[in-house]
Amino acid sequence: MMDPLPSHVSGWILAGMAALAGVLVVLIARRPAARAPAAGAVLVGMTLAVVLTDFRVLVFAAYLPVMAVAALLGHVDPHIMATMLIWPNINQMVLMIAGACLASLGVRGLMARNPAGETTDDAAPVLRAASALRVGRWATGIAVVVPVGYAVTRIGWFAGVPIGISPSFMQRLVDAHAAPIGAGLGGVALLGAVLTLGLVCPWGEVWPRWVPFLRGRAIPPRLPAALAIAISLPIMSAGLMYVRKMLAGEEFGATGAEHEPGAWLPEMFFPVWGAALAIAALAYLQRRAAGRELQSRSAGYRGLVGA
């Protein structure tokens, strides 16, 4: 987002955001129950992690591993990967991690309940779990549909079917050996869609039988939630960049891709995909927390009866 700005201007913006982040961390440390600093931390953190970054983080998260496999198979020149491992790209990753940490601190503060305001009503955790499941199902559905649509186009191109693109553009992709890379990215998107279903399915709470040493054990709630949120951030960041460039009439992707709907339309939904994935992860976390609270209360009641 800051690429059009002079370097000294973008530097001052980053310095100001860093100072503001530091102030928010101090306020949260002094008053953990205060909502305003927590909300500010979420806003500033998401700005750092999503708005001020771009698709270069997604290059690290998805493109680089896929291109590494393609290079091993002889479809891509290995020297291309070296062009990705440069400081501006690494700096984007650092910026996103810092923003994610700040936002998570704010989310933790917003989701924490005041012990003085807690109720002993057993219906409270049940209602929270039901509400979280309802929201999570809608968010998960969106977070599954978008990557599946993206994967269909890319895998279709690899299979020789020009979905959403002209035959001439399809031939250019074949000549550039880009179709296998697109298929690899589509495969990663499909895998992500399947794993996303675990945020609302029973197998997302207990390790499956085929997982050695862990089978049958409860999955730590923060593990799937943290992974989903970590993946959602680069997706949102890249998607916002694609949308900005499309609205500004700037070129992105292969030359002439702006005239091929299949080459740019799926990316326009990336911000929605990332946001839905993050919401699904938070709903999963809230539902699991409500379930643990209900189990704890039930165990307490059984102890009282046994006494």
Side-chain angles (χ1 to χ4, degrees), residues 103-152:
S104 65
L105 185 64
V107 169
R108 184 177 180 180
L110 291 175
M111 294 183 68
R113 298 191 306 280
N114 186 354
E118 288 186 354
T119 175
T120 58
D121 184 8
D122 288 341
V126 173
L127 292 175
R128 285 200 303 273
S131 176
L133 180 60
R134 182 170 59 253
V135 172
R137 282 175 174 170
W138 277 100
T140 299
I142 297 172
V144 168
V145 170
V146 175
V148 168
Y150 171 83
V152 166

Side-chain angles (χ1 to χ4, degrees), residues 39-73:
V42 174
L43 179 60
V44 175
M46 291 301 293
T47 301
L48 288 171
V50 176
V51 179
L52 298 184
T53 55
D54 53 42
F55 79 107
R56 284 174 283 189
V57 181
L58 190 62
V59 168
F60 273 80
Y63 285 63
L64 189 59
V66 171
M67 293 193 71
V69 175
L72 290 175
L73 297 176

Side-chain angles (χ1 to χ4, degrees), residues 207-217:
W207 292 105
R209 295 181 178 178
W210 50 266
V211 179
F213 308 112
L214 296 175
R215 60 173 65 94
R217 297 184 180 182

Side-chain angles (χ1 to χ4, degrees), residues 1 13 60 62 84 87 94 118 144 160 181 198 216 252 286 290 298 303:
M1 181 178 180
I13 292 176
F60 273 80
M84 302 179 183
W87 171 245
V94 172
E118 288 186 354
V144 168
I181 298 175
F252 68 92
Q286 183 74 3
S298 298

